[in-house]
């Protein structure tokens, strides 16, 4: 058997009170294998302080060395929104009411999920040294990257809230109180997509280059810059767009902040199913590949 394929085992801990006796094979505990899913989730919970510390440190140091520092977390998406407002609102004369607020919400909240996609796809491949040096549940890495993106997006949400109501020239609607709940569902959804892309990126590092094309398709198919009615001319396309999770998220943010009415219960149920389903699938699928991460190819 090749040395790299030998199963490693660890002896159980023996206290002074443990009677001296021979150890049989049942006493050995495999090291580096994939634990049961329940134990895996428990290990992740035990390392919650590590996940929080790592994500917080990365969130605060991401723009270190730049003159404006973490202000770029807000400026980058705002500049993107400004360009889209200029192109589609001024040059193409969009007929959407309060188009600047429409685009600001779409671009900023769409960027939250796309950053989770990008950070997830590199979370394993970019931490190979850490994976080979220490034993810990590998899902800690994409979870930390997703939490980092959530921490960095919190000030963006505050700025979005202010900008939307300044552009709309009205006081915040009472429905805005539901925005934190919607943000929590989006964060849970982001956990799932980060875990999925993390396993893909670990097996195929080139995926991070292909991911940019997928993000463009998602942007055009999520009504970020135009009305979903543009898809009405394509059979069944409008129905597909209206039920995909990113459109649901962006449209519900717009309903709460711009239009001042509560999304329908069916929308909340559908989005919750997307968030729980994608995060559950992502965790199970990532866990199934646990022993393959960090291997020498």
């Amino acid at each position: 058997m090749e040395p790299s394929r030998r199963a490693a085992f660890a002896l159980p801990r023996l206290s002074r009170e443990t009677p001296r006796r021979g150890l049989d094979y049942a006493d050995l505990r495999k090291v580096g294998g994939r634990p049961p899913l329940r134990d895996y989730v428990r290990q992740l919970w035990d390392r919650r302080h590590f996940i929080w510390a790592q994500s917080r440190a990365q969130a605060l140091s991401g723009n270190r060395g730049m003159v404006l520092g973490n202000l770029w977390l807000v400026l980058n998406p705002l500049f993107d929104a400004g360009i889209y407002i200029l192109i589609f609102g001024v040059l193409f004369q969009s007929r959407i009411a309060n188009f600047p607020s429409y685009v600001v919400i779409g671009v900023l909240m769409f960027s939250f999920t796309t950053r989770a996609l990008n950070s997830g796809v590199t979370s394993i491949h970019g931490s190979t040294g850490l994976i080979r040096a220490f034993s810990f549940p590998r899902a800690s890495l994409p979870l930390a990257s997703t939490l980092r993106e959530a921490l960095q997006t919190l000030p963006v949400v505050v700025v979005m809230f202010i900008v939307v109501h300044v552009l709309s020239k009205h006081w915040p609607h009472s429905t805005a109180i539901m925005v934190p709940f919607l943000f929590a569902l989006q964060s849970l959804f982001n956990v799932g997509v980060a875990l999925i892309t993390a396993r893909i990126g670990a097996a195929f590092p080139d995926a991070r280059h292909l991911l940019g094309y997928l993000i463009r398709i998602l942007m055009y198919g999520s009504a970020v810059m135009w009305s979903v009615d543009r898809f009405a001319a394509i059979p069944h396309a409008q129905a597909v767009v209206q039920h995909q999770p990113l459109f649901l998220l962006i449209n519900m943010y717009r309903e709460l902040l711009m239009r001042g009415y509560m999304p329908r219960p069916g929308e909340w149920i559908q989005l919750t199913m997307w968030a729980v389903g994608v995060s559950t699938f992502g965790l199970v699928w990532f866990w199934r590949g646990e022993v393959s991460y960090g291997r020498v190819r």
Side-chain angles (χ1 to χ4, degrees):
M1 185 180 295
E2 298 178 6
S4 60
R5 295 179 177 271
R6 291 176 183 170
F9 294 90
L11 293 174
R13 292 184 178 180
L14 298 177
S15 64
R16 292 182 178 179
E17 292 74 16
T18 303
R20 296 174 179 239
R21 59 180 175 83
L23 295 174
D24 56 19
Y25 189 80
D27 293 320
L28 300 180
R29 176 171 49 87
K30 190 175 181 179
V31 174
R34 185 183 68 196
L37 182 59
R38 180 180 298 179
D39 294 341
Y40 191 73
V41 173
R42 186 181 301 112
Q43 291 175 15
L44 286 172
W45 175 253
D46 292 339
R47 287 161 177 80
R48 63 190 181 279
H49 302 297
F50 161 75
I51 296 173
W52 167 254
Q54 184 184 28
S55 59
R56 183 173 178 273
Q58 291 176 347
L60 295 176
S61 63
N63 292 292
R64 183 175 296 173
M66 298 185 183
V67 175
L68 297 180
N70 287 328
L71 280 177
W72 284 110
L73 297 175
V74 177
L75 292 178
N76 278 327
L78 282 180
F79 285 154
D80 287 339
I83 292 173
Y84 291 130
I85 291 172
L86 175 63
I87 294 174
F88 294 96
V90 178
L91 299 181
F92 288 92
Q93 295 294 317
S94 175
R95 298 179 180 179
I96 298 176
N98 195 4
F99 184 72
S101 296
Y102 187 91
V103 171
V104 166
I105 293 174
V107 171
L108 295 186
M109 302 320 297
F110 180 80
S111 297
F112 178 29
T113 294
T114 57
R115 288 200 306 272
L117 280 166
N118 282 316
S119 62
V121 78
T122 58
S123 60
I124 298 298
H125 184 71
S127 304
T128 304
L130 182 65
I131 291 173
R132 293 175 182 171
F134 300 99
S135 176
F136 63 94
R138 311 315 189 198
S140 302
L141 297 173
L143 286 177
S145 68
T146 308
L147 181 56
R148 178 194 67 207
E149 298 300 340
L151 292 174
Q152 291 179 335
T153 304
L154 285 175
V156 175
V157 173
V158 174
V159 171
M160 177 188 72
F161 183 85
I162 296 172
V163 169
V164 166
H165 289 96
V166 168
L167 293 174
S168 302
K169 299 179 181 180
H170 62 70
W171 292 101
H173 300 290
S174 59
T175 53
I177 197 173
M178 297 300 295
V179 168
F181 298 97
L182 188 55
F183 184 82
L185 284 176
Q186 185 174 6
S187 300
L188 181 61
F189 176 79
N190 289 354
V191 167
V193 297
L195 288 167
I196 293 171
T197 57
R199 181 172 178 182
I200 295 174
F204 183 59
D206 294 7
R208 66 179 183 271
H209 298 294
L210 300 176
L211 191 59
Y213 299 101
L214 174 62
I215 289 174
R216 292 179 196 175
I217 295 174
L218 288 174
M219 181 176 66
Y220 297 139
S222 301
V224 173
M225 299 164 294
W226 47 64
S227 172
V228 70
D229 296 335
R230 284 182 175 267
F231 298 95
I234 306 175
H236 309 296
Q238 186 172 1
V240 172
V241 171
Q242 288 177 324
H243 291 88
Q244 63 105 335
L246 288 177
F247 173 81
L248 277 172
L249 278 164
I250 294 171
N251 188 59
M252 290 171 72
Y253 278 114
R254 288 168 175 158
E255 290 175 348
L256 293 173
L257 294 175
M258 286 180 57
R259 300 157 190 158
Y261 59 83
M262 189 69 65
R264 298 185 302 275
E267 292 178 299
W268 287 105
I269 294 173
Q270 191 174 5
L271 183 59
T272 301
M273 292 175 63
W274 270 113
V276 174
V278 171
S279 59
T280 301
F281 171 80
L283 177 61
V284 173
W285 196 60
F286 184 92
W287 162 76
R288 290 180 65 85
E290 179 75 9
V291 296
S292 66
Y293 307 132
R295 280 184 176 177
V296 180
R297 300 185 182 278

